């Protein structure tokens, strides 16, 4: 194939599992280089990872990223690692390394820009995942994304993914934490990159390995990220929704005012009249902003598509 393959393993305090994960991916993809992103670990994660790479003679290295957060770790990896195919996985033994080639195949065949390991279709994720509220949040986020982007994705938060070089080198990571999986999914949908989902088996963390996820705070960050993405990439839907809510509230506040005028030809509910007028002004303003930004977003989409075309054009093309 003559394809450069890079396995990216973001790791924070994963000394219990990091060595086994490295050896498992090396056994599955012996031709790949493996890069461990030591994300401010307080244990021996970096030392054990470097030792495993050296002892097994695996090409790659440990990259240190002191800024906490998976998004920061991936930003450093995508800046420093150059390959044709990128395999991303967590360093906690939850994803099967022996399925890496199945995920790589659509990218290698030119059929996908991003392949996602679908935990929901491929195994007993609901049984293995002990965080019920976390699972509920995943479902809610997935349904919101499918609604707004007219997609039919099964797993938008999987950490097991394969990317083409085109996707990686044209993806600006602007988030810092675990919401990065949602962000890259939304980016792929908005920029019309081809997404393929491959069912995989998910296994919960082994004993002694602890998750850094916080269901409430990380869930709030993911929802905030979706709101931000809608504001940037679907501004008409975002501001149009605010306009609709303001209009409905204005109409509700204006009912007593209209009743006063029709009955007495005089307005007794002056505060409600002011509130209704203000909400109406807000509604018109939000709708105008949404229309303006929607036009700007469309122009940005055109420039992005032309940028991608310029990267794929052959030398000498007219």
């Amino acid at each position: 194939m003559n394809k450069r393959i890079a396995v990216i393993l973001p790791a924070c305090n994963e000394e219990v599992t990091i060595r086994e994960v490295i050896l498992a991916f090396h056994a599955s993809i012996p031709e790949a280089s493996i890069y461990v992103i030591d994300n401010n670990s307080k244990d021996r994660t970096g030392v054990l990872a470097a030792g495993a790479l050296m002892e097994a003679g695996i090409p790659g290295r440990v990259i240190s990223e002191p800024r906490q957060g998976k998004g920061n770790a991936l930003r450093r990896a995508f800046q420093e690692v150059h390959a044709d195919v990128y395999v991303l996985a967590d360093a906690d033994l939850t994803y099967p390394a022996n399925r890496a080639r199945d995920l790589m195949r659509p990218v290698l065949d030119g059929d996908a820009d991003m392949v996602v390991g679908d935990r929901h279709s491929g195994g007993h994720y609901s049984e293995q995942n002990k965080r019920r509220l976390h699972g509920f949040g995943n479902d809610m986020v997935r349904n919101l994304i499918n609604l707004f982007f007219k997609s039919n994705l099964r797993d938008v938060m999987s950490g097991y993914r394969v990317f083409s070089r085109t996707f990686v080198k044209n993806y600006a990571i602007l988030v810092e934490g675990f919401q990065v999986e949602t962000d890259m999914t939304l980016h792929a949908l908005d920029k019309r990159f081809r997404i393929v989902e491959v069912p995989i088996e998910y296994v919960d963390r082994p004993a002694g390995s602890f998750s850094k996820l916080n269901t409430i705070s990380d869930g709030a960050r993911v929802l905030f990220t979706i709101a931000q993405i809608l504001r940037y990439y679907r501004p008409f839907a975002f501001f149009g929704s605010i306009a609709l809510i303001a209009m409905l509230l204005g109409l509700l506040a204006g009912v007593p005012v209209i009743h006063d005028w029709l009955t007495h030809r005089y307005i007794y509910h002056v505060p409600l009249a002011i509130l209704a007028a203000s909400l109406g002004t807000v509604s018109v303003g939000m709708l105008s902003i949404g229309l303006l930004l929607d036009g700007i977003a469309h122009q940005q989409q055109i420039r992005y598509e032309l940028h991608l075309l310029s990267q794929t054009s052959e030398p000498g093309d007219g």
Side-chain angles (χ1 to χ4, degrees), residues 65-269:
E65 174 49 67
R67 292 172 297 179
Q68 197 72 49
K70 190 174 183 179
N72 289 325
L74 288 185
R75 183 184 299 113
R76 174 61 62 87
F78 288 174
Q79 288 173 348
E80 296 195 12
V81 178
H82 304 287
D84 298 304
V85 178
Y86 295 77
V87 180
L88 170 66
D90 292 339
D92 54 11
L93 282 178
T94 55
Y95 296 113
N98 60 0
R99 297 297 307 280
R101 291 196 181 277
D102 294 331
L103 270 68
M104 289 166 49
R105 187 170 297 112
V107 172
L108 291 172
D109 291 343
D111 297 326
D113 300 292
M114 179 173 72
V115 180
V116 181
D118 175 11
R119 301 165 295 176
H120 299 287
S121 301
H124 306 288
Y125 177 70
S126 59
E127 299 174 7
Q128 293 289 334
N129 181 22
K130 304 300 191 299
R131 302 181 299 273
R132 300 305 178 192
L133 189 58
H134 185 77
F136 171 78
N138 284 354
D139 293 340
M140 181 174 65
V141 170
R142 179 193 64 207
N143 293 336
L144 284 173
I145 290 175
N146 285 334
L147 172 66
F148 282 108
F149 288 86
K150 297 180 175 60
S151 57
N152 189 30
L153 300 178
R154 294 279 302 167
D155 193 347
V156 300
M157 292 187 177
S158 173
Y160 198 9
R161 300 177 183 235
V162 174
F163 311 101
S164 67
R165 178 180 176 83
T166 300
F167 180 90
V168 167
K169 297 306 180 181
N170 290 279
Y171 170 46
I173 301 179
L174 301 179
V175 297
E176 296 186 343
F178 282 94
Q179 67 269 41
V180 67
E181 286 95 351
T182 304
D183 184 69
M184 61 178 60
T185 298
L186 292 170
H187 173 77
L189 289 170
D190 180 71
K191 295 300 186 290
R192 300 192 303 170
F193 283 109
R194 296 163 299 171
I195 305 174
V196 171
E197 291 183 308
V198 175
I200 61 166
E201 302 76 27
Y202 176 88
V203 179
D204 202 11
R205 284 171 170 266
S209 176
F210 301 97
S211 174
K212 269 68 71 178
L213 289 175
N214 182 290
T215 299
I216 302 300
S217 62
D218 287 325
R221 291 191 188 100
V222 168
L223 290 176
F224 179 76
T225 298
I226 291 177
Q228 290 291 85
I229 292 293
L230 290 175
R231 183 163 69 93
Y232 294 138
Y233 298 128
R234 293 290 188 273
F236 184 74
F238 182 82
F239 289 99
S241 298
I242 298 176
L244 179 61
I245 293 172
M247 182 189 69
L248 293 176
L249 291 176
L251 290 174
L252 184 62
V255 169
V257 178
I258 296 173
H259 181 267
D260 285 347
W261 181 253
L262 293 177
T263 305
H264 307 289
R265 287 296 187 270
Y266 187 83
I267 297 176
Y268 293 98
H269 296 83

Side-chain angles (χ1 to χ4, degrees), residues 40-62:
N40 197 29
S41 296
K42 305 303 181 185
D43 60 8
R44 298 189 302 148
T45 295
V47 174
L48 293 176
L53 292 173
M54 182 178 295
E55 291 172 15
I58 303 172
R61 59 192 173 96
V62 176

Side-chain angles (χ1 to χ4, degrees), residues 10-33:
C12 177
N13 299 329
E14 299 289 3
E15 65 177 7
V16 175
T17 57
I18 187 62
R19 179 182 176 84
E20 190 172 347
V21 171
I22 290 173
L23 296 179
F25 273 99
H26 179 59
S28 179
I29 326 171
E31 70 273 24
S33 299

